[in-house]
C-alpha cells in the first residue's frame, strides 16, 4: 500500500515558496521532476502547476526517512512536510531558488513508471506519441501555461460580456439536421427508430430565435461540430464564443467586440489594443492584399498593372485582360539576393496551387535586370511596370495574369504572406486588428450551378443593394464583417434578415423553392412571422483566438484533448466499434467496416 | 418594406424610464404588449426584457404619425423616439408608471401575426403548445426571469471557482463509448466506417486525467448526455457544474462547495446560507428519513419498532422480523382529522408502488382509537408502540413491515414526503442543506448477479474498509458524498482511487476480468501507472439547482429549449429522418422506421 495524506494538509503550492517562509513549517505536494541521491544528501525537485521547490534531506535527517527519499524516482507523487530554510547554493534560475524544504515527513502517495518521454519543454518528441500519452504531455509547463491562459481568456469573455448586458444562454446540442452548409454529425435516436439528431455546427438558428424572444443580448461558449475532411488545423469539435444582439447595426456589434478584444488582451497579456479598429471593405482588401483576411503587419501590397498593358502583345497578359481578368504584381523589395532564378521557379509551383498558370518576374540585381517577359513587352511597357511598382535595384517583381481575378488575388495574396514569412518581414509581438466589411452577399457555385450564400442565408443584404437582389445578385453586398488578426479570421458575423418578406426574397435568390425552404427552415420561417427585431451578432473561433494570442502554430497546442487529422483521439483510441446490441437498440446496422490496420 | 432603424439609436431600455428622464429625448425599442386606440389618444405598452414603458400619441401628434400608431398590433416590433413626460394618470403597478414617451418618430420594424397564445404570465396554455412555439413562450416575463437567473447562477459559478484557483478546462464531446453505466448516445464516424463516438455522460475520466496531469483544480460547465428512458424530469442532454481537486480529502471538497453555495445564494437570491452544512452518514439518513436525500425542513422522522415486537404473534410483523427485516412507523401528528379511513386506504396503494405489501395504521381520534392490527397485538405491544411514537389524541400512526429493510425505508421515506406536502408541513422559502456521507461502496444487482459500484468504479473505499473489499464487499463504505437541498440531490461526488493496485482490487471486487477491465478502461489503467495524486471532486446538476433556487417544479422551466419526455423537441420536430446519402456516407443503414403517427 502507498502512503496516505492522513494527518497532513498542503499549506503551499510549490511555486509559492519564498525567503519569507524561512523558519516556518510547510507542507507541499507534487510530482518529482528530478531526484539527486548524493549519499548523505538527497535533493528532490518537486513540481506542481505553479512551479518547482527543492526538498532536502541530509546527514541529520532520520536514516529511515533518508532511505525512503532515496527510493523516489521521476514522476512519483509526494507529499512532504518540513521546515523552510535557506539553500546553501541559491538557484537563480528558479523563482523559489533561494529556499528549500528540509523534510521531516515524506509520503509517497503514488509511484510512477518511467514515462515514455521526459516531462520537459525542450522536447522533440513526435506529436503522435505526445497525443497518445496526452495525460503526460499535459504535465509539461508549456502545455500547462497554454491551458491556464485559455482559462483566463474564457473568464475574461464571461466577465466582459456579462458586464455589457449579455446573458449566457445554453442552446441544445441534439438538434435537427439541416442539409445546408457543412456535413452534420448525426446521432441516431433509439426512441424514434430511423430518426436522427444532428450535433450543431453553430447555435445560429437558436440564437436568432432568442433575439426574437426578446433576450436582447446573448452569449455562449458553444461547442460546435463539423464532419469535414480535416484540413491542417481543423478539429471535428471546436469552440465558439457566440454572440447575438438586438436593435443594432454593424457599428454596434463591431464596437462591443473591439471592446472585448481590448479587454481580453489587457487582462490576459497586458497588451494595449488601440480601438476602434481599421474598417476595410472587402474589395479594398482584395485589391491591396489579395485576401479577405489581410495581414497588415507588413507592406508589399498588390499592384494592378492592367491599365498599363492595354496594348500589350504578350499573349499571357493580353489573354488575361481580354478574358476580363487582370495583371497584378508584387514588388519584393531588396529580395534579389534572396530569390535566385531557381527559387523563383519554385514560387511558380507555389502559385500553381492557387490555380495560377504561371508567375512572370523581373529580377533587378546590382548589375543586371533579368525578366521572364523581356522579349514580349516593349521598353515603354517595362518602364511603366517598374515605375508603377517603384522598382529599384535589388528588387524582385512578381507578376500574375489570369482571366479570373480571383485566381490573381488568391495566388498573389498567398505569395505575399509566404514571402514575408521567408524573408522575415513580419514583426514579432505585434497584434494587428482590422474589420473586413461589405462582403459579397452571394458567390456563384459552379458545382451547384446557382448562387450560394457567402455567409449564410440569413445575412441581411446591404440596404443600397436591396433592389438588385433579383436582377443582379452577384453585385449585392452583405451586412457582414470579419474580425481579422495578423492575417487570420478570428471572428465573423453579420446583421440578419428580420422580416419574412425579405427572407423569402433571399431564399428565392438562392434558388430554394418555397417547399424546400419550408423543409429546411420551416419553424424558423414561422417564427419570423411573430415579430423579430433587427439583430446581428458574431462568433469567434475560440481555439484559434487562443492560439494567436499565445503565438502557437496549432490549435492542438491550446486544447487539452485534441483529435488528429483523421478525427480520432489517439489516447482513448476513439472512435471505436460498439457491440451489436447497442446498434440493434438504435435500429441501425453497419454497412461497411474499417479495414484492420 | 418595413421601416429601418437608420438614423436612430436606442438610448434606454423600456424598464429603465423614471421621473428623472422627464423633459429629455429618448429612443426605446421593443414589442407591443398592448395597444389602445382611443381616437385622438393612442397608448402603446412597449415591452423589452427589462420591463414596459408607455408610448403616447395625442391630438397634437402629427396626424400621419398617429394614424401609423393606430395600425400597431400586439407583438409588433417598434422603435420610438420622443420626449419623456409625466403621465396624466400614474400607473402604480408599473415601475415606469410615472412617465411615458410622447412619440415624435415611430418605426414599425416588424409586424406580427396574432400569436397562438397571449404573451402573459397568467397562462394556462398547455405545455405542448408552449414548447411548439417556444420562441413565443420565452417572451413571457416568467421565462425571461428564469433564464436571467440561470445566467447569474452560472456567472457566480465561474467567478467563485476562478477565485478559488479552479481552471475551466474543456473536455471532448466526441469520446469513446464505455459499456458501463447508462446508455450512451452514439455518433457514427464517416472517416472510420463501422466505428462510433459516444457523447459523454459526464467528463469523469477526462477530469481524473487532468488531475493526473497536474492541473490541481478543474471546473467545467459541461454538457452531458444520457440515452435513458426519460422519467418525469430528465432530459437527454443536461448540464453539470463539474469539479475535481487534487491532494484533497472529503472535507476539502465539501468545504469549497459549501462556500460556493453560500456565494451563489447570496449573489443571486440575496439569501444567507449558514455553513458548514450538517453531515449525515447514509445509515442515519435511512434510519431517520428513509431516504439518502432527506428533506430536513420538517420532522415526522421514521421510528424503528422492531425491538418492541420480538415476541409478537401478528404474522405480518413476525414474518418481516424473522426474514431479517424490520417494522417501522411514522407518527403523523394531529392528522386524524385529515386522514379518514378511506384516505388511509389510498395510502396503502401509495406505499405499494414502493414494493411494500401493506400499511398498518392506528387512528387516534378524540373519542376512539381504530387500528388495523387491533386484534393481532397484545395491549402491552400496542402500548409500547404508542409510547415509542409519542402518540397523542389526534395522531395517525402508519406502520410498514417488510423482510427487506430497503422496502421499509423506501416506502416510509416516500410516504413521509407525500404526507408533508399534503398536510402543508413544508415551510416556504427555506433552503435546508446537508451532506449525506459514508455511502455503501457497492450494491448487489440481482439482475447482474454481482456487486455493482453504487457511485462508479473509481470511488475510493473508506480506509477502514480496505481489508473487507474481498471478504465482505457489502459492508464496505465509500468516500462519497451527496449534497442535498430540500430533499433533492443537487450534487454528489467522491474521493477517487489513485493507485493501480487499489483500482485492480476494485475491478476484481466488481467481477471484471483483467481483460474486460482493460477493454473498458485500458488507457485509464495505463495512465494511473504514471503517478496519480490523491484527488476527488463532485458534479452538480445545474438544471436542477436552478430549478430549486427559483422554486420551479420542472427543469423544463429553467432551460431555453428543452425536450419532452420522448426526447423530441417540439419546436424543430427533431429527431427527424435524414437522406439516404448521409447514411451511406456514414456506412450505416436504418433497420426499422418509426411508424407514422
Amino acid at each position: 500500500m502507498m502512503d496516505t495524506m492522513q494527518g497532513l494538509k498542503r499549506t503551499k503550492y510549490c511555486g509559492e515558496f519564498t525567503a519569507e517562509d524561512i523558519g516556518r513549517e510547510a507542507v507541499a505536494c507534487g510530482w518529482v521532476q528530478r531526484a539527486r541521491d548524493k549519499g548523505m544528501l538527497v535533493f528532490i525537485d518537486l513540481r506542481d502547476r505553479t512551479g518547482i521547490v527543492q526538498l532536502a534531506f541530509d546527514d541529520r535527517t532520520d536514516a529511515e526517512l533518508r532511505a525512503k527519499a532515496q527510493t523516489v524516482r521521476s514522476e512519483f507523487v509526494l507529499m512532504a512536510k518540513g521546515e523552510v530554510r535557506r539553500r546553501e547554493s541559491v538557484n537563480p534560475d528558479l523563482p523559489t531558488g533561494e529556499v528549500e524544504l528540509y523534510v521531516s515527513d515524506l509520503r509517497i502517495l503514488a509511484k510512477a513508471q518511467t514515462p515514455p518521454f521526459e516531462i520537459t519543454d525542450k522536447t522533440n518528441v513526435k506529436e503522435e506519441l505526445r497525443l497518445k500519452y496526452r495525460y503526460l504531455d499535459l504535465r509539461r509547463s508549456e502545455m500547462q501555461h497554454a491551458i491556464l491562459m485559455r482559462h483566463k481568456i474564457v473568464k475574461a469573455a464571461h466577465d466582459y460580456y456579462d458586464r455589457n448586458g449579455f446573458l449566457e444562454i445554453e442552446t441544445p446540442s441534439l438538434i435537427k439536421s439541416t442539409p445546408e452548409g457543412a456535413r452534420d454529425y448525426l446521432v441516431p435516436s433509439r426512441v424514434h427508430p430511423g430518426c436522427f439528431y444532428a450535433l450543431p455546427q453553430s447555435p445560429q438558428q437558436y440564437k436568432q430565435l432568442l433575439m426574437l424572444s426578446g433576450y436582447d443580448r446573448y452569449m455562449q461558449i458553444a461547442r460546435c461540430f463539423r464532419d469535414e475532411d480535416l484540413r491542417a488545423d481543423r478539429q471535428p469539435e471546436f469552440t465558439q464564443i457566440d454572440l447575438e444582439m438586438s436593435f443594432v447595426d454593424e457599428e454596434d456589434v463591431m464596437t462591443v467586440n473591439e471592446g472585448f478584444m481590448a479587454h481580453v488582451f489587457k487582462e490576459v497579456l497586458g497588451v494595449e489594443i488601440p480601438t476602434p479598429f481599421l474598417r476595410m471593405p472587402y474589395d479594398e482588401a482584395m485589391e491591396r492584399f489579395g485576401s479577405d483576411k489581410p495581414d497588415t503587419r507588413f507592406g508589399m501590397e498588390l499592384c494592378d498593372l492592367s491599365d498599363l498593358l492595354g496594348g500589350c502583345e504578350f499573349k499571357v497578359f493580353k489573354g488575361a485582360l481580354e478574358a476580363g481578368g487582370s495583371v497584378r504584381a508584387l514588388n519584393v523589395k531588396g529580395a534579389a539576393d534572396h530569390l535566385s532564378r531557381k527559387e523563383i521557379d519554385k514560387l511558380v509551383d507555389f502559385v500553381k496551387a492557387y490555380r495560377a498558370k504561371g508567375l512572370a518576374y523581373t529580377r533587378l540585381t546590382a548589375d543586371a535586370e533579368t525578366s521572364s517577359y523581356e522579349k514580349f513587352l516593349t521598353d515603354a511597357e517595362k518602364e511603366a511596370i517598374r515605375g508603377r511598382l517603384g522598382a529599384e535595384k535589388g528588387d524582385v517583381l512578381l507578376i500574375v495574369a489570369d482571366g479570373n481575378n480571383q485566381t490573381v488575388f488568391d495566388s498573389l495574396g498567398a505569395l505575399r504572406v509566404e514571402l514575408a514569412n521567408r524573408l522575415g518581414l513580419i514583426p514579432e509581438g505585434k497584434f494587428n486588428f482590422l474589420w473586413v466589411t461589405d462582403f459579397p452577399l452571394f458567390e456563384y457555385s459552379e458545382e451547384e450551378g446557382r448562387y450560394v450564400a457567402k455567409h449564410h442565408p440569413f445575412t441581411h443584404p446591404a440596404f443600397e443593394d436591396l433592389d438588385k437582389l433579383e436582377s443582379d445578385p452577384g453585385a449585392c453586398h452583405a451586412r457582414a464583417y470579419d474580425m481579422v488578426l495578423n492575417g487570420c479570421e478570428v471572428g465573423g458575423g453579420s446583421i440578419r434578415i428580420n422580416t419574412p418578406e425579405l427572407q423569402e426574397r433571399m431564399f428565392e435568390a438562392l434558388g430554394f423553392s418555397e417547399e424546400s425552404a419550408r423543409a429546411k427552415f420551416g419553424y424558423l420561417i414561422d417564427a419570423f412571422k411573430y415579430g423579430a427585431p433587427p439583430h446581428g451578432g458574431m462568433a469567434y473561433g475560440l481555439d484559434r483566438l487562443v492560439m494567436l494570442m499565445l503565438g502557437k502554430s496549432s490549435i492542438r497546442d491550446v486544447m487539452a484533448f485534441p483529435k488528429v487529422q483523421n478525427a480520432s483521439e489517439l489516447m482513448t483510441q476513439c472512435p471505436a466499434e460498439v457491440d451489436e446490441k447497442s446498434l440493434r437498440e438504435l435500429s441501425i446496422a453497419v454497412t461497411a467496416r474499417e479495414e484492420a490496420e
Side-chain angles (χ1 to χ4, degrees), chain A residues 263-336:
Chain A
H263 173 74
V264 70
F265 272 75
K266 179 83 187 145
E267 195 73 10
V268 178
L269 299 180
V271 170
E272 300 280 352
I273 300 292
T275 60
F277 301 165
L278 182 69
R279 273 89 158 135
M280 189 183 289
Y282 173 88
D283 291 341
E284 181 184 338
M286 296 308 282
E287 282 287 330
R288 292 177 53 193
F289 302 97
S291 168
D292 59 1
K293 35 183 192 285
D295 191 335
T296 56
R297 288 176 296 175
F298 62 99
M300 210 203 295
E301 297 188 12
L302 276 61
C303 191
D304 191 354
L305 307 177
S306 307
D307 60 309
L308 305 178
L309 301 166
C312 156
E313 287 304 311
F314 180 28
K315 71 173 192 304
V316 171
F317 291 177
K318 191 179 170 186
L321 294 172
E322 281 174 0
S326 57
V327 182
R328 286 164 206 267
L330 297 176
N331 180 357
V332 195
K333 298 296 293 178

Side-chain angles (χ1 to χ4, degrees), chain A residues 83-254:
Chain A
E83 193 184 309
V84 183
R85 66 179 190 187
R86 187 173 298 279
R87 277 203 198 186
E88 291 222 352
S89 57
V90 165
N91 180 346
D93 296 337
L94 220 56
T96 64
E98 273 186 81
V99 298
E100 63 189 11
L101 191 64
Y102 181 56
V103 178
S104 58
D105 185 353
L106 178 71
R107 312 280 177 95
I108 299 179
L109 301 175
K111 293 185 177 178
Q113 289 184 349
T114 305
F117 50 84
E118 207 190 336
I119 310 300
T120 166
D121 281 347
K122 301 170 209 89
T123 183
N124 54 1
V125 175
K126 269 201 191 148
E127 196 184 14
E128 270 165 45
L129 194 67
R130 286 174 47 204
L131 289 175
K132 181 174 176 197
Y133 296 95
R134 186 59 158 183
Y135 45 85
L136 298 178
D137 190 40
L138 283 169
R139 289 186 183 176
R140 296 188 307 112
S141 70
E142 195 184 356
M143 279 307 309
Q144 299 218 335
H145 181 253
I147 298 294
L148 170 67
M149 295 302 264
R150 183 178 176 125
H151 161 74
K152 288 190 177 179
I153 291 166
V154 170
K155 183 65 172 59
H158 286 301
D159 290 345
Y160 176 83
Y161 289 107
D162 173 64
R163 207 158 56 227
N164 282 280
F166 288 77
L167 304 184
E168 180 151 17
I169 304 176
E170 293 183 68
T171 56
S173 291
L174 295 172
I175 70 168
K176 187 171 182 169
S177 180
T178 36
E180 192 74 3
R183 208 183 278 113
D184 282 328
Y185 275 104
L186 297 179
V187 183
S189 162
R190 180 177 52 83
V191 183
H192 305 277
C195 292
F196 293 80
Y197 303 95
L199 299 177
Q201 296 184 29
S202 87
Q204 184 63 33
Q205 296 175 23
Y206 286 98
K207 73 175 175 177
Q208 290 195 239
L209 289 176
L210 286 169
M211 294 304 100
L212 191 139
S213 299
Y215 287 84
D216 205 75
R217 294 187 162 201
Y218 143 96
M219 83 86 79
Q220 189 180 194
I221 308 288
R223 193 69 59 86
C224 303
F225 304 84
R226 276 182 210 168
D227 187 9
E228 291 176 305
D229 296 311
L230 298 182
R231 276 174 280 154
D233 213 21
R234 287 283 182 91
Q235 289 281 323
E237 51 178 315
F238 57 98
T239 305
Q240 280 184 191
I241 306 177
D242 194 44
L243 308 165
E244 197 77 5
M245 305 166 74
S246 291
F247 300 108
V248 293
D249 62 19
E250 297 88 324
E251 275 301 316
D252 297 315
V253 179
M254 289 193 273

Side-chain angles (χ1 to χ4, degrees), chain A residues 16 21 25 38 40 70 97 117-118 150 157 192 215 235 254 263 293 378 387 447 466 512 518 553:
Chain A
E16 291 174 345
D21 301 306
E25 283 251 300
K38 304 182 169 186
M40 293 309 263
Q70 285 169 327
F117 50 84
E118 207 190 336
R150 183 178 176 125
H192 305 277
Y215 287 84
Q235 289 281 323
M254 289 193 273
H263 173 74
K293 35 183 192 285
T378 65
E447 197 187 329
L466 282 175
F512 295 177
R518 269 220 83 77
S553 54

